Amino acid sequence: MPRYALLILPAFNRVYGESSVRLTLSELAVFGRRALGDEVPAGEETEIGGVPYVTFETPTPLTQPDISLLSNLSSVYAIFQVEGELLRPLTMDRLDRLSSDLITIQKYAGKTNEHFTKLLLNVTVLACDKELGDRLAVFDPLCGRGTTLNQALTYGYDAYGIDVDGKDFEAYTGFIKTWLRNKRLKHTAETVPVRRERALVGRRLNITFGLSKESVKAGDVQHLTMVNADTLRSREFFKSRSFDVLVTDAPYGVQHGSKGGHGGLSRSPMELLRQAVPIWAELLRPGGAMGIAWNTYGGKSAELAAILKGAGLEVMDYPGFEHWVDQAIVRDIIVARKPA
């Protein structure tokens, strides 16, 4: 049987790096089950030349479209076909339309590891009715300073987000406008107040850009919208059935995310999710998918699954993604699909 080896990217975050091989095995299983027709069985960690790889066998040789798809695994640096004691490099073909510094250049306390953000987006897209390479609309209802938005843009998707923190909104607005100018990408950008009955309820950043003047003239553009407002008011800013995929990293038990109707920021992720998930589910298109990362110290997976099912979503069987972050955080993900 043909045998393949995935070389894992070195992680700048030591803790995440220690989990990256195991997480890649779980991510590979999702790719195989959903996108490769079950051609990829369970992989295994293999040391080759003193370096850790994820290896797997397939009943038939991988095609170039298969290899292109696997090129987007979140922690994969290179793909090889194993030939005896030798490794033959295969041509990587990632979806990336934009340079990687869009994701890596921002450095701030509390930033989610970009490899994990990509993993969460990948497995959520693979749960929906669309393909990873389709043009998708992605929504992050707790978008912070935009790591998920940037990953979605890099894939060529349209990206939408909302966050209650005004400083995060201002920081992301400044960053993305500067980045687009420095890359000399043809774009329009505006920040406008949003009012309801003359009262200010939020601010909205709207950006449209293309990779070249020619692409803009041809209508080949991407859209980015970020709203500075409470996520529980998402339906006031976005229409129902607007998004193919909803991906978010829930608060880890610190002040973040939503005012929750109590005048102060909610400290309980489950309290927030209990209120927010039904609202978010309305924004998903039929056949769309929702992926949530959360701290298991703040709530059990069965509790979160019940919230998702209560909103009319079908929870996917995605084991093996739980991993240690620090003394107060053990992170896991849950993915659910909206019936078509």
Side-chain angles (χ1 to χ4, degrees):
M1 294 176 67
R3 186 170 178 81
Y4 299 90
L6 307 175
L7 178 61
I8 305 303
L9 275 162
F12 293 109
N13 183 305
R14 177 188 60 81
V15 173
Y16 190 81
E18 291 173 353
S19 303
S20 60
V21 171
R22 181 172 56 79
L23 292 172
T24 300
L25 288 168
S26 299
E27 187 182 6
L28 177 64
V30 174
F31 269 74
R33 181 171 45 180
R34 170 63 175 84
L36 296 173
D38 289 323
E39 286 247 327
V40 181
E44 61 181 2
E45 181 178 354
T46 305
E47 188 173 288
I48 303 174
V51 176
Y53 288 76
V54 166
T55 58
F56 59 92
E57 295 180 342
T58 58
T60 58
L62 294 178
T63 65
Q64 185 55 49
D66 294 335
I67 296 165
S68 297
L69 184 66
L70 292 176
S71 299
N72 297 293
L73 284 160
S74 61
S75 293
V76 168
Y77 184 65
I79 303 176
F80 300 90
Q81 184 162 2
V82 181
E83 298 180 353
E85 296 183 353
L86 302 179
L87 299 178
R88 179 168 65 87
L90 302 178
T91 301
M92 302 277 283
D93 183 22
R94 296 186 176 92
L95 290 175
D96 298 3
R97 286 165 51 101
L98 303 173
S99 59
S100 61
D101 63 347
L102 174 60
I103 300 169
T104 60
I105 198 171
Q106 286 181 295
K107 305 294 181 185
Y108 54 89
K111 180 183 178 181
T112 302
N113 180 282
E114 50 259 29
H115 296 169
F116 177 76
T117 297
K118 185 175 181 180
L119 181 154
L120 180 59
L121 179 60
N122 281 346
V123 298
T124 305
V125 171
L126 291 173
C128 79
D129 285 353
K130 300 292 185 70
E131 302 296 330
L132 199 66
D134 290 345
R135 182 65 172 270
L136 305 178
V138 175
F139 178 52
D140 183 349
L142 299 165
C143 65
R145 296 195 186 183
T147 303
T148 298
L149 305 183
N150 292 341
Q151 179 58 60
L153 293 174
T154 298
Y155 270 179
Y157 302 158
D158 293 329
Y160 304 84
I162 188 169
D163 200 277
V164 74
D165 192 314
K167 291 182 179 179
D168 282 350
F169 178 84
E170 291 163 4
Y172 184 67
T173 296
F175 164 76
I176 194 64
K177 287 181 177 180
T178 300
W179 189 89
L180 288 166
R181 286 196 301 269
N182 289 344
K183 296 297 179 180
R184 298 184 178 179
L185 295 178
K186 182 71 174 178
H187 67 280
T188 61
E190 63 172 0
T191 303
V192 296
V194 180
R195 300 182 184 277
R196 298 284 186 272
E197 298 178 354
R198 298 184 180 181
L200 181 67
V201 295
R203 293 178 290 172
R204 182 192 294 266
L205 168 69
N206 294 313
I207 291 178
T208 300
F209 71 93
L211 299 184
S212 66
K213 292 181 179 179
E214 292 72 24
S215 64
V216 172
K217 289 180 180 179
D220 180 15
V221 295
Q222 290 176 249
H223 302 283
L224 166 66
T225 294
M226 181 179 179
V227 173
N228 176 209
D230 194 318
T231 191
L232 297 182
R233 305 185 72 169
S234 295
R235 283 286 282 108
E236 297 180 30
F237 301 93
F238 303 103
K239 296 179 181 179
S240 63
R241 301 187 174 194
S242 291
F243 307 118
D244 301 295
V245 172
L246 185 151
V247 174
T248 199
D249 205 3
Y252 293 158
V254 297
Q255 286 197 354
H256 178 75
S258 171
K259 294 184 179 178
H262 304 295
L265 291 178
S266 170
R267 295 187 65 87
S268 167
M270 285 299 161
E271 176 190 339
L272 170 61
L273 293 172
R274 209 171 277 114
Q275 297 176 69
V277 165
I279 298 168
W280 298 345
E282 293 181 21
L283 298 174
L284 273 181
R285 292 170 180 155
M290 181 184 301
I292 300 173
W294 88 104
N295 180 11
T296 61
Y297 289 148
K300 302 300 182 184
S301 59
E303 186 179 358
L304 183 49
I307 293 172
L308 292 166
K309 291 175 182 176
L313 305 178
E314 301 171 347
V315 177
M316 307 296 292
D317 180 19
Y318 277 6
F321 288 106
E322 183 177 298
H323 59 286
W324 189 85
V325 176
D326 63 28
Q327 295 292 341
I329 301 171
V330 173
R331 184 166 54 195
D332 201 355
I333 68 173
I334 190 167
V335 176
R337 182 180 175 277
K338 187 172 185 177

